[in-house]
Structure formats: C-alpha cells, structure tokens
Amino acid sequence: MKSKLADICDFAKEKTDVSGLDENCYISTENMMPNKGGITRATNLPSTVQTQAFSAEDTLVSNIRPYFKKIWYAQSDGGCSNDVLVFRRKKNVHPRFLYYVLSNDAFFDYATSTSKGTKMPRGDKKAIMNYPVPNISWNEQCKIADILSNIDENIEINTAINKNLEEQAQALYDELFADSSFDATLADLGTVVGGSTPSKKHPEYYTDQGIAWITPKDLSNDSSKFIYHGENDITELGLSKCSATVMPTGTVLFSSRAPIGYIAIAANPTATNQGFKSVIPNEDIGTAFIYYFLKNNLTIIESMASGSTFKEISAGAMKTVPAFIPSNDKLCQFQDFCEPLFNHQKSLESENTSLSQLRDTLLPRLMSGEIDVSNIEI
C-alpha cells in the first residue's frame, strides 16, 4: 500500500537571520554536491536580511535541475537559499528514513519528470508532495535507516581521511614551493593536450563499456580526484583513428571551459572532449606537482581566458601559463611523499564507489519490501 510524500513530511517554512549565519551553515545549490555527495563550505552569504531556515535532522534537496541529485541530511541548524527545499519529518517518521526515501533514484526521476522549465528546470513542489512512498512501520524504518546509514558513515569516514591526506599534500606543496618565482611556462612542465570528439561512426566509444571519453560534466558529476571511465583499453579500440588524442594514466585533466578549473587525474588511459586542456607531465616533473600547481594557480589561468558567451582558455594560452621548475631535490621529496598518499586516496575513492553502488542497489529493494527487514536484528 502506498502513501504520498505529504503523509510523512512537510516543507519547513521558518526564516532565520542571515546575520546569525556563516559559510559553514549556509547551504545553496552551489555548495551542494551532485550525486548525493553532500555539501561543501559556502563561498558567500546572501545579501538578504533573512533566508530559509533548516534544523538538524531535516533533509535538504536542491530544487534546480533535480537530475543532479543534490541532497544532504542536516546535522546542525542553519539557513539555505530558496532554491533548496527543506523536508521535515512528521510524527512517527524516522528522520533518516525520510532522507533515504528522498535519496532513492526513483524520487529524483519523479522530481525531474514533473519539473517545470527547460533551460533550468525546477521541481514542482505540489507534484513532489504527491510522490508515492511505501507504508513502513516505525521498527522497519529504523532498521532500513540503520542499514543504509552504516554504509554512508563508512563513506563519510573515507571522505574525511582523504580530505586530511589532501590537506597534508597541500601543506607540503606550500612549504616547498610557495616562494618560487615564475621562470618558465606550463609547456616546460608537460605536454598541453586539447580534447576532441570521436567520430560518430564509432558509437561504441560513447558507452560505459567503451572508451574512457569524458566531458566537463563527468567531472562535475564525480568529485573524485582519480577518474576511471570506460572499461576497455582505448588503444586497442583504435581511438587514434578517430582523431581523438589518447592520454596516458597520470595525465592531469583540466576543464578549460564551462567552467574553467575542474581538475582530476586520469586513472586509466583516457580521451576528453574539447572542453579540456589537459597536461601530460614530463617524466622528470610528475603528476603530483602538475596537479597541485594547477590547483594553486587557478586565478592566473582564469585571467588568461577569453570569450563573450562563456570564458575559455585556449591551448595556446594554456601553454604560456607562468610556471616554475623546482629543483630535483624538492620534486623528489614531493613525489616521494605524494606517491603513497595518492595510492591510499585512490583506494579509498574506489571503496567509496563500491559502497555507494551497494547503497543505491539496496535502497530501492528495501523500500519496496523486496528485502524483508522485519526479522533482522540490528
């Protein structure tokens, strides 16, 4: 038997003073991560006197482009923009159960199908509250919430470890290279490679089982530091015959438009579309240095972009980005530090991918009753 979402929750309507908020407790669609990735720290606060309030245990969902699957389970009180929906449970509804009802891909598919607008679709709040939900007892709600939250807690632990490792690598970069003077260009550090699109005569290149061919959207949907995409060896598929450049493992992927500045490391041989100006590191420079150099000089790179409709940095301009060539001693010290750190980060990201897939596989089966939790002891 099904109920409506309106039977288990309401939209929160309270307001809060912006003067009482900071960047750690303000949520907007910009600092919500896609694909259920949680949130990051806000870059600024709204200019209004008041904004939408939320409380701990509320579930926040971005109402712009629902297909991005931006959702967060609030762990503290705060404020959010009007484009973020705040769902608050009703009596006899477990807060985490509500969160998982809304985390189900079926909910995002429903919100997308009933949304309004084409260029920037927004969820229809009235239609959203008609979303069908299962009637599940309190005890079963608790068990479902416990099963899924245990998985999410492991993901959060791995993410926190990776964040700490990233901070360690950044701290060493600052210590070794912060006082360096620009005396070279990016072209002296590696080969700058522009992307291209494989021929439509080879549709197999555009499947998950085909080549690793990525766009900036892939990086916006996946915040991983190391990007795997495609299951086959693209050199064996003859990608080079389609005028697309194959870049080796360890290439630093850099989006050059829409927007500028997504950065990741190719974990397998890959190719990109025209929205990239990636860097294949020189052997004596290495991936780690290129990766952190680009991260720490985004402002300079963005200032060299041109264009009216949207900004883009050309391959020619990318090659002339001011850079420096560190001493061999410093490069070796940095590379020796980063190599095991990168391997650990890569391992934790891979584990998180597996955990996310497990959670997203279990969730609809738990909600539908296909997996009976009534006799499970937790």
Side-chain angles (χ1 to χ4, degrees), residues 172-222:
L172 182 59
Y173 179 92
D174 292 340
E175 179 183 333
L176 293 175
F177 308 122
D179 296 329
S180 300
S181 300
F182 292 140
D183 56 4
T185 65
L186 187 58
D188 297 314
L189 304 180
T191 303
V192 176
V193 180
S196 57
T197 301
S199 168
K200 293 293 185 180
K201 296 179 181 179
H202 296 271
E204 67 271 20
Y205 296 153
Y206 295 89
T207 69
D208 290 338
Q209 291 74 42
I211 64 165
W213 182 74
I214 64 172
T215 70
K217 183 179 178 180
D218 292 310
L219 297 194
S220 71
N221 289 335
D222 187 346

Side-chain angles (χ1 to χ4, degrees), residues 128-144:
I128 284 173
M129 278 302 179
N130 287 324
Y131 174 68
V133 298
N135 285 325
I136 296 179
S137 69
W138 171 262
N139 287 338
E140 291 180 341
Q141 288 182 34
C142 294
K143 290 178 181 180
I144 291 172

Side-chain angles (χ1 to χ4, degrees), residues 29 32-37 62 64-71 108 112 217 220-221:
T29 59
M32 298 186 79
M33 303 299 291
N35 290 324
K36 312 169 193 178
S62 171
I64 296 179
R65 295 172 176 167
Y67 48 80
F68 281 143
K69 303 177 185 178
K70 295 183 177 183
I71 186 170
F108 290 108
T112 299
K217 183 179 178 180
S220 71
N221 289 335

Side-chain angles (χ1 to χ4, degrees), residues 151-168:
I151 297 174
D152 275 335
E153 285 171 9
N154 284 328
I155 293 174
E156 290 171 7
I157 290 171
N158 288 345
T159 301
I161 293 172
N162 266 355
K163 181 180 178 181
N164 178 266
L165 293 174
E166 192 70 9
E167 290 170 350
Q168 290 183 44

Side-chain angles (χ1 to χ4, degrees), residues 166 170 186 214-216 218-220 222-227 250-257 259-266 275-279 287-299 301-302 318 342 349:
E166 192 70 9
Q170 180 62 55
L186 187 58
I214 64 172
T215 70
D218 292 310
L219 297 194
S220 71
D222 187 346
S223 58
S224 298
K225 182 173 182 175
F226 300 91
I227 297 297
T251 297
V252 182
L253 307 172
F254 186 89
S255 67
S256 55
R257 68 183 187 199
I260 296 172
Y262 284 138
I263 305 175
I265 297 171
F276 284 83
K277 302 297 181 290
S278 301
V279 183
T287 296
F289 178 76
I290 295 288
Y291 177 81
Y292 287 102
F293 172 81
L294 292 176
K295 283 190 69 175
N296 284 272
N297 290 281
L298 282 178
T299 302
I301 297 172
E302 289 172 342
M318 191 75 173
F342 277 21
E349 284 188 352

